[in-house]
Amino acid sequence: MPKISDKQRESRRQQILEAALACFAEDGFHQTGMADIVKRSGLSHGAVYLYFQSKDDLIEALADDRHRREAVLNSVAQGSGDPIEGLHALVRVYAQWLTDPAGEARRRVGIHGWAEALRNRRVRSSVVEGIDMPRALIVALVERGQHDGLIRQGPGAEAIARMLIAIFQGFVLQKSWGEDFDVATCVAAVDDVIDGLRTTKSDVKRRTRT
Amino acid sequence: MPKISDKQRESRRQQILEAALACFAEDGFHQTGMADIVKRSGLSHGAVYLYFQSKDDLIEALADDRHRREAVLNSVAQGSGDPIEGLHALVRVYAQWLTDPAGEARRRVGIHGWAEALRNRRVRSSVVEGIDMPRALIVALVERGQHDGLIRQGPGAEAIARMLIAIFQGFVLQKSWGEDFDVATCVAAVDDVIDGLRTTKSDVKRRTRT
DNA sequence: ATAAAATGACTGACTGATCGTTTTTTATTT
DNA sequence: AAATAAAAAACGATCAGTCAGTCATTTTAT
């Protein structure tokens, strides 16, 4: 009985999602009106509500970014080699995502999502789960490296993972604020830090801080 | 002619600012209504508008956090010793600010400010200027260390500064989302990274990444 | 094959509620 | 009494969301 094909229906859905993404990227979730999304999508109010129950429904649909997680997963598929190399590969994936001009809207919406995560439980779950996967990945890499004697024992794997993730979160912020932020050199500094995790000949006692 | 003393007037102002801070920390700038701030402050609508011209006025007043900048400035006052020690001191300041339970509201408002900075020019200026000072401080420390041969030449001072700042931005996010985020161990990892900047005996050629 | 009936896709004017702000009224102080 | 702080009431604008109705297509009946 459907009057339009599933293809068309999914296309309409994407049409609305893209309009919402652009609007949210520009003005944030709460400063964007449904009228803005409606106008940008080229549809009508009623039509939008045929595809999404509410504005919050749209927000939740955009707060979760599955594409990036899959990209991260692909990068781990080749992760049976040197753990340090694995970390570099991961950095490369995020660096590329950070540079892609087409991803600017997603990065901006992501930042709005970070703020929204403070007060919206569903959004927070999406955000936290979004960083849980790369975190577990880094922890696994570092622990393997430490077990094999390739990575120094000093800092905990969990702490290193959170630090690396924090770096890219901060990079997204700084880049999106439009300062002259040179992704290449900053990423190079991260690569340098990762190389610094390698076991050195003279890794006897490293100072521990309180 | 004076109706109430300047002390009282400033006290009322702070009373409103504190109410606004608490509200903004809970629900963000745009989901907080003036009615919420009015109720929380214990005053009336009209009274609030005697002290602040508009809601945006309140937002801008809270987006800028001078207290932290001053704390950073104090930490640099003792910055004539070892550059690496200087970086550790800076980390200590931010770690303490990150741990302070009384600062949770400010951290949350700060995150909302990061998102707001994407669309509000004034807020963005506040935020960017807020990180410009510690950035310049780190750059100066690193450059001095590199000049004196205490810090490796590999990564640029600017990149290191942005990375360290990014780390704490990410830490604020992860901690505020309420995951079990252990500040102490994560900060220890940062200290470890900083120690890794030190010149080693075998710092001949470090690999450079594209 | 063709017309009538039915249904899905979509429209846009409209709703009540809430928004930030202004104006009016009351209370307090000098 | 003169002035001003504070409270109360009310403003127009805007919000997310709705719903009676239109249009186009498909199904059914002849």
Side-chain angles (χ1 to χ4, degrees):
Chain A
M1 324 268 174
K3 292 275 200 272
I4 58 174
S5 69
D6 287 352
K7 273 263 161 65
Q8 282 175 316
R9 193 174 167 79
E10 181 57 27
S11 170
R12 278 257 185 277
R13 215 185 115 93
Q14 283 301 322
Q15 183 178 349
I16 296 170
L17 276 177
E18 283 171 21
L21 181 80
C23 291
F24 288 156
E26 269 184 21
D27 267 352
F29 298 124
H30 303 297
Q31 285 297 101
T32 294
M34 286 302 279
D36 300 321
I37 300 174
V38 164
K39 186 178 291 181
R40 191 145 197 162
S41 70
L43 298 176
S44 65
H45 280 81
V48 170
Y49 278 94
L50 283 178
Y51 291 87
F52 295 92
Q53 285 191 1
S54 66
K55 187 184 177 183
D56 280 325
D57 205 22
L58 270 169
I59 293 177
E60 289 168 20
L62 285 172
D64 184 11
D65 190 357
R66 292 195 163 75
H67 303 90
R68 202 156 91 256
R69 289 191 229 182
E70 290 170 8
V72 174
L73 265 185
N74 291 343
S75 80
V76 74
Q78 52 178 13
S80 53
D82 182 13
I84 298 281
E85 264 322 306
L87 291 178
H88 281 306
L90 206 60
V91 165
R92 220 174 297 128
V93 169
Y94 278 97
Q96 183 173 342
W97 178 78
L98 190 59
T99 310
D100 181 19
E104 192 187 336
R106 288 217 83 94
R107 290 191 294 271
R108 290 172 64 98
V109 170
I111 293 174
H112 287 295
W114 293 346
E116 183 66 12
L118 293 176
R119 52 177 298 276
N120 184 325
R121 204 183 308 125
R122 313 270 287 271
V123 171
R124 180 166 58 240
S125 294
S126 279
V127 170
V128 170
E129 285 170 17
I131 73 168
D132 262 348
M133 199 252 286
R135 196 188 66 186
L137 180 53
I138 297 173
V139 166
L141 282 173
V142 172
E143 282 181 345
R144 185 153 59 89
Q146 288 178 331
H147 179 270
D148 296 350
L150 295 171
I151 294 180
R152 284 188 289 102
Q153 299 289 339
E158 178 80 17
I160 292 177
R162 287 205 179 270
M163 185 182 66
L164 288 176
I165 290 170
I167 288 175
F168 276 92
Q169 288 170 336
F171 281 180
V172 169
L173 286 172
Q174 295 181 33
K175 177 159 204 297
S176 297
W177 290 330
E179 322 164 67
D180 31 27
F181 180 82
D182 188 356
V183 174
T185 65
C186 285
V187 167
V190 179
D191 277 321
D192 203 80
V193 165
I194 290 177
D195 283 330
L197 295 174
R198 267 230 162 76
T199 310
T200 59
K201 318 149 199 191
S202 62
D203 65 336
V204 252
K205 55 197 166 194
R206 280 225 159 218
R207 67 182 306 180
T208 312
R209 308 210 144 253
T210 52
Chain B
M1 310 269 181
K3 26 294 164 188
I4 58 176
S5 71
D6 287 353
K7 275 265 162 64
Q8 281 176 316
R9 193 173 167 82
E10 182 56 28
S11 170
R12 280 257 186 276
R13 216 186 113 94
Q14 283 301 324
Q15 183 178 348
I16 296 169
L17 276 177
E18 284 171 22
L21 181 79
C23 290
F24 288 156
E26 268 183 23
D27 268 351
F29 299 123
H30 303 297
Q31 286 297 101
T32 295
M34 287 301 281
D36 300 320
I37 300 174
V38 165
K39 187 178 291 182
R40 191 145 196 164
S41 70
L43 297 176
S44 64
H45 289 252
V48 169
Y49 277 92
L50 281 179
Y51 292 87
F52 294 93
Q53 286 190 2
S54 66
K55 186 185 179 183
D56 281 325
D57 205 22
L58 270 168
I59 293 176
E60 289 169 19
L62 285 172
D64 183 12
D65 190 356
R66 291 194 163 76
H67 303 89
R68 202 155 90 256
R69 289 190 229 180
E70 290 170 7
V72 175
L73 265 185
N74 290 343
S75 80
V76 73
Q78 53 179 13
S80 53
D82 182 14
I84 297 281
E85 260 328 301
L87 292 177
H88 282 306
L90 206 60
V91 165
R92 221 174 298 128
V93 169
Y94 278 97
Q96 183 174 342
W97 178 78
L98 191 59
T99 311
D100 181 20
E104 192 187 337
R106 288 217 82 95
R107 291 191 294 270
R108 291 173 64 98
V109 170
I111 293 174
H112 287 295
W114 293 348
E116 184 66 11
L118 293 176
R119 51 175 299 276
N120 185 323
R121 204 183 310 125
R122 313 269 287 270
V123 172
R124 179 166 60 241
S125 295
S126 278
V127 170
V128 171
E129 286 170 16
I131 73 168
D132 261 349
M133 200 252 286
R135 196 188 67 187
L137 181 52
I138 297 173
V139 167
L141 282 173
V142 172
E143 282 181 345
R144 184 153 60 89
Q146 288 178 329
H147 179 269
D148 296 350
L150 297 170
I151 293 181
R152 284 187 290 102
Q153 297 290 340
E158 179 80 18
I160 292 177
R162 287 204 178 270
M163 186 182 66
L164 288 176
I165 290 169
I167 288 175
F168 276 92
Q169 288 169 336
F171 281 178
V172 169
L173 287 172
Q174 295 180 33
K175 175 156 206 297
S176 297
W177 290 330
E179 323 165 66
D180 31 28
F181 180 81
D182 188 354
V183 174
T185 66
C186 286
V187 166
V190 178
D191 277 321
D192 203 80
V193 165
I194 291 177
D195 283 330
L197 295 174
R198 267 231 161 76
T199 311
T200 58
K201 328 156 192 189
S202 62
D203 65 337
V204 251
K205 56 197 165 193
R206 281 227 159 215
R207 67 182 307 179
T208 312
R209 310 209 144 253
T210 54

